[in-house]
């Protein structure tokens, strides 16, 4: 309902947008976002792009400024075909974790949609990127655009000097290992001022043909020559010298591969750096979308209450908002897992409810903030200090478990049928919450593969160990192909051994020698 005491003239009345109108609406949104919700954001830069450009950005993992690779073109053709045939829609926006924060809005949007998108991306996502500890500590928002420009130019220069096929082989191999090219448990080393100067020289040297990559890598881990000379010691000493075991395969290959030329190491590092940059987004899908959706919902309501948007614009935005948070039932043909927008938004709304209207059950489960009059501070704290797994463990309430009708299905190989092991009742709440949280823990979703040995003074075979969890093995065909890519970067044979995490039993062993024999 519109508050008559604050009723003002609507900022727009019609579907057409203009840059001046968007600027006016942006200022009205900013007033609510900063002074009412208390958001803390990077400066905004809003760009308008076409549907074709949006598809292009889609294909490049959301990065409009990206180096060339055939896989991006393949994704573009797939998405464009689906879009033209009406089998998929386009996101209303793309936003980049950068300073300034760049949001890409589609020119086909109506003014109402541009308003919703600005509230969602330019303020919701922007605040989350700037304040969540994963993005704050693990990414460089100020330097990402310069780095993307450097990566694009460097790889284009390599294509001219070394040929398309040579560059594509390195990129193919690095992309195949992209998910194993991140630091999960320890923070990547931050470059010192001296190292940053070396990086700058490397970037400048790329154009002139000079390479100072050795200076950069030597400062971090020691030169390959040094590693080789020290690798003549016993296994334990060798592992110590090479910082083994090493979870980040691309990092190890970049620093220690006997086979890579300096320009190839730099390409591996580019892929690894971008994989690490994207990693926090994989860990915060529910929170990030929940924060942005809650923000745009709150701002739209406030704009309407102030009389700054018409009822027609309000209804159009609510229609889109409802579509975004729609969660099909488990037996609905459209069901494809939990919608991160739906569960994220529902949890944000539930936190506000627990603060404003707590029940006895809420006070029992959430004594720290149930009844807290400053729900906005509670919300900002949650957005800043958690990732999906810990956020669900901390904030998913029995009330919401009942509302979402969550239950657990256990797939036990010893049972003939699937078993509904937990339902939304008093006994099952904690189990449902714990299992749902674990389903967002990447440590359980992605295989744990580590480099454990590489005798650089011997046969140089690279030894990898996959610690198999819950009997979840790798797809055999993919395993063979990825080993070939590792061998291409390493230059020598590669052996992968699967070991049961609990019992220590060896489950399988695969080497590139066997793969070569099979192929022959």
């Amino acid at each position: 309902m519109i508050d008559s005491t604050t009723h003002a003239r609507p900022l727009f009345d019609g579907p057409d947008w203009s840059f001046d109108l968007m600027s006016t609406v942006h200022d009205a949104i900013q007033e609510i976002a900063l002074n009412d919700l208390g958001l803390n954001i990077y400066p905004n830069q809003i760009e308008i792009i076409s549907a074709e450009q949006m598809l292009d950005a889609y294909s490049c993992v959301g990065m409009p400024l990206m180096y060339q690779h055939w896989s991006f073109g393949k994704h573009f053709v797939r998405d464009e075909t689906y879009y033209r045939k009406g089998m998929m829609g386009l996101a209303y926006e793309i936003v980049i974790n950068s300073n300034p924060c760049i949001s890409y809005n589609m020119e086909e949007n109506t003014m109402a949609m541009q308003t919703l998108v600005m509230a969602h991306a330019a303020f919701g996502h922007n605040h989350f990127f700037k304040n969540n500890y994963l993005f704050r500590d693990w990414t460089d928002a100020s330097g990402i655009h310069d780095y993307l420009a450097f990566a694009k130019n460097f790889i284009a220069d390599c294509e001219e000097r070394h040929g398309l096929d040579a560059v594509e082989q390195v990129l193919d191999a690095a992309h195949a290992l992209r998910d194993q090219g991140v630091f999960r448990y320890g923070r990547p080393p931050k470059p010192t001022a001296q190292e940053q100067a070396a990086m700058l020289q490397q970037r400048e040297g790329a154009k002139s043909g000079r390479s100072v990559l050795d200076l950069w890598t030597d400062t971090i881990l020691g030169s390959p020559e040094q590693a080789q000379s020290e690798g003549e010691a016993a296994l334990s000493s060798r592992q110590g010298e090479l910082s083994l075991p090493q979870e980040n395969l691309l990092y190890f290959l970049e620093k220690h591969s006997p086979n890579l030329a300096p320009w190839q190491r730099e390409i591996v590092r580019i892929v690894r750096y971008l994989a690490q940059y994207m990693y926090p987004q994989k860990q915060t899908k529910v929170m990030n979308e929940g924060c942005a959706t809650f923000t745009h919902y709150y701002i739209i309501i406030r704009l309407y209450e102030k009389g700054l948007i018409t009822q027609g614009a309000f209804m159009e935005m609510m229609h889109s908002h409802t579509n975004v948070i729609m969660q099909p039932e488990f037996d609905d043909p459209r069901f494809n897992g939990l919608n991160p927008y739906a569960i994220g938004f529902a949890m944000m709304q539930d936190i506000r409810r627990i603060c404003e209207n707590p029940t006895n059950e809420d006070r029992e489960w959430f004594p720290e903030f149930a009844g807290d009059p400053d729900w906005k501070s509670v919300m900002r704290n949650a957005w800043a200090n958690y990732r999906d797994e810990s956020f669900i463990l901390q904030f998913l309430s029995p009330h919401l478990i009942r509302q979402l009708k969550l239950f657990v299905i256990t797939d036990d190989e010893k049972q003939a049928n699937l078993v509904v092991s937990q339902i939304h009742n008093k006994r099952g709440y904690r189990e449902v919450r714990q299992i749902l949280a674990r389903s967002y823990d990447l440590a359980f979703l992605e295989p744990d593969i580590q480099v454990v040995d590489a005798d650089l003074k011997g046969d140089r075979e690279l030894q990898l160990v996959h610690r198999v969890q819950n009997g979840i093995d790798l797809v055999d065909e993919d395993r063979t192909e990825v080993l070939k890519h590792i061998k291409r970067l390493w230059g020598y044979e590669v052996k992968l051994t699967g070991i049961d995490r609990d019992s220590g039993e060896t489950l399988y062993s695969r080497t590139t020698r066997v793969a070569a024999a099979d192929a022959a």
Side-chain angles (χ1 to χ4, degrees), residues 14 26 199 205 216 344 402 415 494 508:
H26 173 274
M199 289 178 67
W216 163 242
R402 289 192 296 271
Q415 300 284 342
V494 181
Y508 69 86

Side-chain angles (χ1 to χ4, degrees), residues 101-366:
C101 181
I102 301 181
S103 305
Y104 294 89
N105 293 24
M106 285 180 59
E107 64 182 359
E108 289 84 353
N109 290 346
T110 64
M111 188 58 221
M113 284 305 304
Q114 302 290 29
T115 302
L116 184 149
V117 167
M118 283 192 287
H120 181 93
F123 291 90
H125 283 308
N126 188 343
H127 172 85
F128 193 82
F129 288 147
K130 186 176 182 182
N131 295 278
N132 181 265
Y133 78 99
L134 288 172
F135 292 90
R136 199 174 58 236
D137 296 345
W138 290 66
T139 65
D140 178 14
S142 299
I144 186 61
H145 287 297
D146 287 343
Y147 191 80
L148 287 173
F150 154 71
K152 184 180 177 71
N153 293 332
F154 180 84
I155 290 178
D157 184 59
C158 287
E159 289 173 343
E160 288 187 7
R161 287 191 286 137
H162 304 287
L164 289 173
D165 291 342
V167 173
E168 188 174 285
Q169 284 186 352
V170 179
L171 279 176
D172 286 351
H175 281 195
L177 298 171
R178 195 159 39 191
D179 289 340
Q180 302 299 321
V182 298
F183 292 96
R184 295 183 175 83
Y185 308 111
R187 295 179 182 177
K190 286 191 174 182
T192 64
Q194 181 186 10
E195 292 161 355
Q196 288 178 336
M199 289 178 67
L200 182 60
Q201 290 181 46
Q202 165 64 23
R203 296 176 185 183
E204 293 174 346
K207 294 181 180 178
S208 63
R210 292 186 298 111
S211 175
V212 292
L213 183 64
D214 290 342
L215 174 60
W216 163 242
T217 54
D218 292 354
T219 311
I220 296 275
L221 281 185
S223 66
E225 291 78 9
Q226 181 185 5
Q228 290 181 29
S229 65
E230 295 172 349
E232 296 175 347
L235 173 61
S236 59
S237 174
R238 189 161 64 236
Q239 289 179 325
E241 295 296 334
L242 297 176
S243 301
L244 299 177
Q246 175 56 258
E247 58 163 336
N248 192 328
L249 301 191
L250 284 182
Y251 184 80
F252 182 85
L253 293 168
E254 171 199 334
K255 305 304 178 189
H256 297 290
S257 171
N259 195 48
L260 293 180
W263 66 271
Q264 293 172 316
R265 294 182 196 276
E266 183 64 25
I267 290 178
V268 171
R269 194 167 75 85
I270 287 170
V271 175
R272 176 177 67 80
Y273 185 92
L274 294 179
Q276 189 73 59
Y277 173 80
M278 299 297 292
Y279 193 60
Q281 302 204 30
K282 295 169 65 177
Q283 295 176 288
T284 57
K285 187 69 175 173
V286 169
M287 289 190 64
N288 198 354
E289 297 301 350
C291 170
T293 306
F294 178 86
T295 298
H296 83 228
Y297 181 77
Y298 182 87
I299 289 174
I300 289 169
I301 297 290
R302 290 295 298 138
L303 287 174
Y304 183 62
E305 289 174 343
K306 289 183 172 187
L308 296 177
I309 56 175
T310 65
Q311 191 171 53
F314 178 74
M315 293 302 294
E316 181 180 348
M317 291 184 223
M318 285 295 105
H319 177 72
S320 296
H321 169 81
T322 304
N323 288 338
V324 164
I325 64 169
M326 196 270 288
Q327 174 62 62
E329 299 285 344
F330 76 97
D331 55 352
D332 189 305
R334 297 169 296 177
F335 180 79
N336 188 28
L338 290 175
N339 177 358
Y341 293 83
I343 191 170
F345 177 70
M347 289 189 67
M348 304 306 171
Q349 289 285 76
D350 196 48
I351 292 172
R352 180 176 179 179
R353 179 195 63 79
I354 294 171
C355 292
E356 293 183 331
N357 299 297
T359 63
N360 291 335
E361 181 184 58
D362 295 325
R363 293 186 186 281
E364 178 186 349
W365 278 66
F366 307 104

Side-chain angles (χ1 to χ4, degrees), residues 486-502:
I486 299 176
K487 181 180 178 181
R488 180 171 296 158
L489 294 178
W490 180 246
Y492 296 89
E493 303 300 337
V494 181
K495 182 179 180 181
L496 173 66
T497 304
I499 297 176
D500 186 86
R501 178 190 290 266
D502 298 324

